[in-house]
Amino acid sequence: MIRERRTREKLRLYYHKYRDQGIMDPNVHPWVAEAWQKSRGTGVVTKDFGSLVRLTGPDWDERLTAAKPLIRHLDGLYDSLRDFFSFNNISLLLLDSDAYVLKSYSISYYQKSPSELEGIRLADKDIGASGIGIALTHQKPFYLYGPEIWIETCHESDEAAAPIIQEGQVRYLVSMVMMDGAEKKGLSLDTVVAVLLCIKHSLEQVIELDEKLSIRNDILDRIPMAVYQVAPDGSVLFSNRPGSDRLVLGKRSNMGLPGLPNLADAVLNFKHTQIPRAFLGIPSHNRELVWLIGNKTYEDIADIWPVYRDGEIHSANVVSAPIEEIKTLLAYASQYKARYSLSSLVGNSPRFSAMKERAARCARHSSHLLIIGEPGTGKQRLAHGIHQASPGAAGPLITIRCGDIPLEMLPQELFGHAEVNGVAIPGKIELARGGTLFIDEIDKLSPDLGEKLHAALIMEKEVRVITAADVDLKRLVAKEVFSEKLYNLISQSIIRTSSLRHRQVDIPLIAADILRELAEQNSMESRNLSAGALELLMSYDWPGNVKQLQRVLEEGFFQAQGLLILPSDLALPGGSGWGKAWKRDRSLFIEAWKACGGNISRLAANLGVSRVTLYRYLEKFGLERNRK
């Protein structure tokens, strides 16, 4: 509120008349009179600041965190106006709606340094009548002359305060204190109020924008899609949580925060995806996108389009949804079919041929099935083939990987749950009704959860369950760490997959099939293995099985300069620097483990062995699996 200039001598008379005699002059502004009466009624001292309340601990940290966008913006404003504030000896404060000082921009505020002031409460009940209290009470900007301030030592100063309002509620306040009074510096009230109102409106816009961004980011973080804004050099300008988790597991990186790797470095096949085409102005809609990131392959359906700024391509937006998620969401509507058939399983070795024949027989009946085999032997692909050849092939195929889900979330994934608003979220068992539920890494289920799953499957007659494990479940039952009832139910039929080292004769066929799929997925010409490259692959024992072979071939496919993959294009596992000595030396094994952060899968990849092999060495060296 802009007020006409008042005579300080008269204001001092009004103040002392009320403070000493309790008589309120009719010329006192009504809001000031109200604040004086409140101050007198609560017994706030008038001579100087008394003992003030200071906020510390988690509550203080929480308030500061919530105000970070405002403080960051106000820092910039203050820097641009620093000379104005310094020359006119003006203190600037940012307070929350409880009148706690969040940030002080001043050399001194009534003999208090910024560090002394931040965290202090300056409410009516602490300091009596002030511009802060009046602006907070009436939710209007207000200019208070020094003699109207309740504490007498402040009478040589003026104060202007304004509330920061959003949706009708005061969220914060800004206060400007002219330590020498405005007239001593020749400042007009209009100038002071104009600066105050500019700061007020600017901060209100920051709150509104921050709220919109928070809502947008929350929505983007919750959708089952990876969302990126990518610069032409591959750097990530924006990523939602699912996208960040793909690139840096467990690390949040958003809107310029450090830590997110360059896509061109993180994605092995980046230049062969549709993303670089967007920088040429070519969009892609609803196209299959295969990401090769680290030791994982992500198969998505993606939309990619260029973003223009001033007529030039500035970046590309990528919205990429995992095919498995789409399958789950649309299971009933699309009656999704399996991606692989039994005929797509490649191999002619006697052991492999016998397994395929058994799988075909098992597919013809509806009893539950257990697939046992080392990691990377194609258990998931086999489950797809069995579903497609089964009487329930017209129904959905729903997959749940127990190793990829936190243990506490597994019950919700399996059985469903009700959201806070009461909307029921179906579990994987319900989604698979009329078809097949494939439960991978079922050995991760606790005995209690196994008992509940057993009970649910006994009740549910419309779902066939195919399970997979890379450990002997019977041994886990004997150790009482897996449900015996569940084991008896899911092991009505058992298929054992063969490790690649036991069917090396199939490597040429498998390698050719993998290279053909890579060419199709990336719309590239097919590549072939040279005789030397094939000989190199045949000489390795592949502890990671077909999955490990696929990783090596993927890298070789994109490293090859021509259409022929040479031995130099192939990087066989085991080149970690520890050689084979770790098998004999416990200290070397522990060193390798620490270098991998205690992660079993990462250690297995670095040493070129399977997790099952690692578990044997853990026992040999007397170590526990959860060691970090």
Side-chain angles (χ1 to χ4, degrees):
M1 176 180 290
I2 299 179
R3 304 170 61 195
E4 71 279 4
R5 192 173 290 279
R6 306 295 299 275
T7 305
R8 289 181 180 272
E9 288 72 20
K10 288 186 178 180
L11 292 177
R12 287 194 181 91
L13 289 175
Y14 301 155
Y15 170 81
H16 287 288
K17 185 177 180 181
Y18 177 72
R19 190 195 68 177
D20 299 334
Q21 304 174 39
I23 300 172
M24 186 71 69
D25 192 282
N27 291 305
V28 175
H29 190 282
W31 291 359
V32 175
E34 176 188 6
W36 282 359
Q37 290 168 341
K38 187 187 299 182
S39 305
R40 186 185 181 94
T42 54
V44 179
V45 297
T46 61
K47 291 298 182 183
D48 204 345
F49 290 100
S51 179
L52 298 175
V53 175
R54 177 181 291 275
L55 191 64
T56 59
D59 191 11
W60 169 245
D61 293 337
E62 185 178 336
R63 293 177 190 236
L64 273 184
T65 299
K68 270 186 179 179
L70 265 74
I71 293 174
R72 186 165 54 242
H73 184 74
L74 194 54
D75 286 346
L77 283 179
Y78 183 78
D79 283 343
S80 64
L81 296 170
R82 186 183 297 273
D83 291 343
F84 169 79
F85 283 98
S86 178
F87 177 79
N88 293 293
N89 199 14
I90 298 175
S91 171
L92 177 66
L93 304 180
L94 175 68
L95 308 94
D96 66 13
S97 58
D98 294 322
Y100 284 102
V101 179
L102 300 173
K103 189 66 181 287
S104 172
Y105 302 87
S106 62
I107 299 174
S108 174
Y109 177 91
Y110 300 127
Q111 288 74 53
K112 293 184 181 295
S113 67
S115 60
E116 292 176 309
L117 198 63
E118 290 171 0
I120 292 294
R121 190 177 64 194
L122 299 179
D124 283 345
K125 55 188 173 184
D126 302 302
I127 63 172
S130 70
I132 294 169
I134 292 174
L136 184 60
T137 299
H138 295 279
Q139 299 189 16
K140 297 286 186 182
F142 194 77
Y143 190 101
L144 196 67
Y145 291 94
E148 296 175 317
I149 300 173
W150 186 250
I151 294 178
E152 195 168 1
T153 54
C154 302
H155 283 189
E156 296 303 316
S157 307
D158 290 350
E159 181 187 6
I164 310 302
I165 296 175
Q166 184 190 34
E167 296 180 355
Q169 299 293 322
V170 176
R171 296 283 300 276
Y172 298 94
L173 297 102
V174 283
S175 169
M176 291 170 51
V177 177
M178 285 60 71
M179 305 302 293
D180 300 321
E183 66 272 12
K184 290 185 180 180
K185 292 290 186 179
L187 276 176
S188 69
L189 296 186
D190 289 351
T191 300
V192 174
V193 172
V195 172
L196 180 70
L197 292 182
C198 283
I199 295 175
K200 164 187 164 64
H201 292 308
S202 178
L203 293 182
E204 285 175 342
Q205 290 177 347
V206 169
I207 291 179
E208 183 178 356
L209 178 60
D210 184 64
E211 291 286 342
K212 289 180 179 179
L213 289 175
S214 295
I215 293 171
R216 185 203 68 175
N217 290 342
D218 186 54
I219 292 172
L220 289 175
D221 284 345
R222 290 174 183 272
I223 62 175
M225 300 178 181
V227 177
Y228 302 101
Q229 183 184 17
V230 187
D233 65 354
S235 59
V236 180
L237 305 177
F238 172 83
S239 171
N240 69 340
R241 189 177 300 277
S244 298
D245 288 346
R246 281 191 175 188
L247 301 179
V248 185
L249 187 60
K251 181 183 287 186
R252 177 72 167 125
S253 185
N254 199 351
M255 297 195 67
L257 295 178
L260 207 59
N262 187 295
L263 278 190
D265 298 329
V267 180
L268 180 63
N269 61 330
F270 177 77
K271 66 180 181 180
H272 300 292
T273 67
Q274 299 94 320
I275 299 174
R277 299 179 63 192
F279 303 129
L280 301 175
I282 305 171
S284 299
H285 298 294
N286 296 325
R287 291 284 304 278
E288 185 173 4
L289 176 64
V290 178
W291 307 73
L292 304 179
I293 301 175
N295 63 350
K296 284 193 172 184
T297 299
Y298 297 93
E299 297 176 328
D300 292 358
I301 298 296
D303 266 26
I304 305 169
W305 67 95
V307 177
Y308 292 87
R309 181 175 293 177
D310 298 327
E312 301 288 334
I313 294 178
H314 167 264
S315 56
N317 286 341
V318 181
V319 178
S320 187
I323 290 175
E324 286 294 332
E325 291 288 347
I326 296 174
K327 285 166 49 182
T328 300
L329 293 173
L330 303 179
Y332 283 127
S334 64
Q335 294 292 283
Y336 190 85
K337 306 298 188 297
R339 296 189 66 203
Y340 307 108
S341 64
L342 289 177
S343 61
S344 72
L345 303 179
V346 177
N348 290 327
S349 64
R351 188 183 297 230
F352 187 75
S353 298
M355 182 205 72
K356 282 183 66 173
E357 290 175 6
R358 176 161 176 72
R361 291 194 302 271
C362 289
R364 289 194 287 269
H365 60 71
S366 59
S367 60
H368 301 317
L369 171 66
L370 171 62
I371 303 174
I372 296 178
E374 293 180 9
T377 52
K379 296 187 290 294
Q380 178 175 327
R381 185 177 287 235
L382 180 60
H384 277 239
I386 292 172
H387 168 77
Q388 191 178 81
S390 72
L397 170 63
I398 302 299
T399 297
I400 178 171
R401 295 184 181 87
C402 299
D404 291 345
I405 302 170
L407 295 179
E408 64 275 11
M409 297 297 294
L410 276 172
Q412 294 182 6
E413 289 289 321
L414 285 167
F415 311 121
H417 64 286
E419 295 255 276
V420 176
N421 59 7
V423 177
I425 305 300
K428 294 295 199 300
I429 295 176
E430 183 179 347
L431 288 173
R433 189 169 293 158
T436 302
L437 173 62
F438 174 52
I439 306 178
D440 200 2
E441 296 184 272
I442 196 169
D443 51 287
K444 298 295 191 297
L445 296 188
S446 66
D448 288 344
L449 185 54
E451 295 287 312
K452 293 178 182 177
L453 178 58
H454 169 267
L457 295 180
I458 291 295
M459 295 290 294
E460 180 56 74
K461 304 297 184 183
E462 298 181 38
V463 175
R464 185 200 193 173
V465 174
I466 300 177
T467 59
D470 54 23
V471 296
D472 187 348
L473 290 183
K474 188 174 287 188
R475 290 181 59 190
L476 298 185
V477 170
K479 293 179 180 180
E480 298 184 346
V481 294
F482 191 81
S483 167
E484 183 175 7
K485 289 182 179 179
L486 180 59
Y487 174 76
N488 291 334
L489 181 65
I490 63 177
S491 62
Q492 295 171 9
S493 298
I494 297 178
I495 297 178
R496 298 184 184 276
T497 56
S498 300
S499 61
L500 191 54
R501 62 184 172 275
H502 290 142
R503 58 183 190 106
Q504 284 191 308
V505 66
D506 290 332
I507 288 179
L509 290 174
I510 297 171
D513 189 61
I514 291 171
L515 294 176
R516 179 188 58 78
E517 285 188 353
L518 285 170
E520 290 179 359
Q521 290 170 351
N522 292 277
S523 301
M524 295 171 62
E525 288 188 73
S526 181
R527 282 160 168 70
N528 298 305
L529 291 166
S530 68
L534 182 57
E535 183 180 352
L536 181 63
L537 297 181
M538 294 290 288
S539 68
Y540 191 67
D541 64 358
W542 301 107
N545 296 296
V546 175
K547 183 176 289 187
Q548 190 178 39
L549 172 63
Q550 179 163 346
R551 302 293 180 211
V552 171
L553 287 173
E554 284 172 349
E555 185 169 354
F557 184 90
F558 293 109
Q559 291 292 338
Q561 297 301 309
L563 299 181
L564 195 64
I565 299 175
L566 304 175
S568 58
D569 298 321
L570 301 175
L572 294 186
S576 59
W578 288 285
K580 300 298 181 183
W582 60 269
K583 294 184 176 182
R584 303 180 300 275
D585 191 326
R586 185 178 187 272
S587 62
L588 280 180
F589 183 85
I590 293 175
E591 180 185 342
W593 199 0
K594 287 181 178 178
C596 296
N599 185 290
I600 289 290
S601 298
R602 192 181 308 157
L603 180 59
N606 280 358
L607 297 180
V609 298
S610 70
R611 288 187 300 171
V612 175
T613 300
L614 278 186
Y615 292 150
R616 291 202 300 269
Y617 279 93
L618 287 171
E619 293 180 6
K620 172 183 175 181
F621 292 132
L623 302 171
E624 297 181 4
R625 295 185 188 182
N626 62 352
R627 180 186 177 95
K628 295 296 183 184

